[in-house]
Amino acid sequence: MSDGVVTLPQLAELPSAGRARLNRWAWWWQHRLGWAGALAVAVLLACLALALVVRPSLERARADNLSLQVQRLAALVKARPADNSQETDPRDAWRASLPGWGQRAQVIRKMLVASKASHVEFERADYSTEAKEPGIVHMQATLPLTASYEQARQVMAAILNEVPNAALDALELERSRDDPNLLTGRLRVSFFFRGED
């Protein structure tokens, strides 16, 4: 017996008690466990190798990858320009988009041009104003209307398309007694302006 490997001639040199024990163990293995036992031992050894060798190396690789991702995120945060401006309130943005109170004459002119394009002319208009909080002036125009149904639709669409700070409040229509193709009534439109700063 040399180097821990037993060859057949050396097996013959073993003492009879050792040889008998080895034969009993081989017989027991073959009759009790066989090739299935050998496979089970191989699987057990593979699992031990995975648990002791492969898993720690995978954990190290995962930790290294996580560290690399954290470094990349930190670099992105440093590279991004600092945004010192505070988030604007949508109401402030809406208020800033409104025309100033000093521009009311141009807004009314736009409304009258849009109505003429729809072949509707307002003979007169009643205006009322009210200060709204914060910094908004609400002007309401009540316009007497005599037009066909199609013209009434066109004038409303034209006013709302041409004057972005306008809103339709009400439309009251009834058939004209003189001409069944005409409607008479009132159109109420609101205009919103930015108050003087």
Side-chain angles (χ1 to χ4, degrees):
M1 194 185 318
S2 64
D3 299 331
V5 178
V6 177
T7 60
L8 285 179
Q10 291 171 343
L11 187 60
E13 295 173 4
L14 283 175
S16 60
R19 209 175 4 201
R21 195 176 305 127
L22 187 61
N23 284 338
R24 268 190 306 234
W25 184 80
W27 180 86
W28 178 83
W29 181 275
Q30 190 169 6
H31 284 52
R32 300 278 181 172
L33 300 176
W35 66 269
L39 182 63
V41 168
V43 168
L44 180 65
L45 290 175
C47 289
L48 281 173
L50 282 174
L52 297 176
V53 177
V54 175
R55 185 174 177 207
S57 67
L58 287 176
E59 289 293 327
R60 277 192 303 275
R62 191 174 75 103
D64 292 345
N65 190 18
L66 185 62
S67 173
L68 180 65
Q69 293 296 327
V70 168
Q71 289 172 359
R72 285 182 183 167
L73 284 174
L76 283 176
V77 168
K78 285 181 184 177
R80 199 166 102 192
D83 185 15
N84 295 332
S85 66
Q86 299 210 352
E87 199 171 307
T88 59
D89 189 345
R91 293 171 295 186
D92 292 336
W94 176 74
R95 189 178 309 113
S97 71
L98 294 175
W101 177 245
Q103 295 174 307
R104 62 189 178 278
Q106 289 105 340
V107 169
I108 292 171
R109 191 174 304 114
K110 275 187 184 179
M111 177 192 69
L112 294 175
V113 168
S115 67
K116 279 186 182 180
S118 303
H119 307 291
V120 174
E121 290 194 29
F122 301 112
E123 295 174 8
R124 63 181 174 78
D126 296 324
Y127 297 99
S128 64
T129 60
E130 177 185 5
K132 299 271 187 182
E133 291 298 326
I136 301 292
V137 178
H138 172 230
M139 180 175 75
Q140 189 174 61
T142 304
L143 308 160
L145 178 68
T146 302
S148 68
Y149 176 75
E150 189 62 36
Q151 287 173 326
R153 286 183 54 199
Q154 286 176 354
V155 75
M156 287 186 298
I159 290 172
L160 295 176
N161 285 332
E162 292 298 318
V163 187
N165 62 317
L168 179 65
D169 288 341
L171 176 64
E172 301 166 3
L173 294 174
E174 60 183 40
R175 277 199 194 279
S176 171
R177 292 182 184 165
D178 300 333
D179 186 353
N181 294 326
L182 287 180
L183 302 171
T184 60
R186 292 184 307 172
L187 174 65
R188 272 203 316 268
V189 181
S190 284
F191 300 95
F192 295 93
F193 297 94
R194 196 175 58 247
E196 297 299 333
D197 296 333

